[in-house]
């Protein structure tokens, strides 16, 4: 009887350890729902952009998010992209004050 209880306890502990390990590794890193694979070549109106995310894999890109929730992937080397990032950062710093 004691051997059976010990075996059940070991199996239970292994199950808890496995679940906590899986949750910890997946939950500790936010998963992106949208990843840039191709880049748009068209310039976007900076005034319609509200946020951005930088991405390095699978391609080096900036994902802009518009006020309507559209996601647009562009090359970070373009001048207008750098100006848009600067403007969004300035808006953020003003809101934080």
């Amino acid at each position: 009887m004691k051997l059976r209880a010990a075996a059940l306890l070991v199996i239970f502990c292994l199950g808890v350890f496995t679940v906590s390990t899986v949750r910890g590794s997946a939950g500790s890193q936010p998963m992106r729902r949208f990843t840039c694979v191709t880049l748009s070549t068209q310039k976007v109106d900076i005034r319609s952009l509200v946020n951005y995310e930088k991405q390095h894999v699978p391609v080096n890109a900036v994902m802009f998010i518009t006020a309507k929730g559209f996601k647009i992937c562009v090359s970070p080397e373009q001048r207008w992209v750098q100006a848009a990032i600067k403007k969004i950062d300035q808006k953020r710093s003003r809101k934080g004050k």
Side-chain angles (χ1 to χ4, degrees):
M1 185 71 174
K2 289 182 181 182
L3 185 61
R4 181 183 271 172
L8 286 174
L9 183 62
V10 168
I11 291 171
F12 175 77
C13 290
L14 284 173
V16 169
F17 175 76
T18 303
V19 169
S20 66
T21 302
V22 170
R23 281 190 180 169
S25 62
S28 63
Q29 297 179 4
M31 295 186 64
R32 290 189 174 179
R33 295 182 182 165
F34 185 83
T35 301
C36 298
V37 179
T38 59
L39 303 178
S40 174
T41 57
Q42 293 190 347
K43 185 176 178 180
V44 179
D45 182 13
I46 293 176
R47 294 174 293 185
S48 68
L49 304 175
V50 294
N51 203 357
Y52 71 91
E53 291 181 21
K54 292 182 179 180
Q55 167 189 307
H56 301 288
V57 176
V59 294
N60 191 20
V62 173
M63 181 196 324
F64 283 119
I65 302 166
T66 67
K68 293 184 178 183
F70 294 113
K71 296 175 180 166
I72 303 152
C73 297
V74 294
S75 172
E77 282 82 31
Q78 298 180 54
R79 276 191 191 160
W80 75 267
V81 172
Q82 295 168 9
I85 289 172
K86 188 175 181 179
K87 184 172 182 177
I88 291 169
D89 288 342
Q90 287 173 347
K91 284 182 186 177
R92 286 180 185 165
S93 66
R94 276 188 249 139
K95 285 184 180 180
K97 291 183 179 181

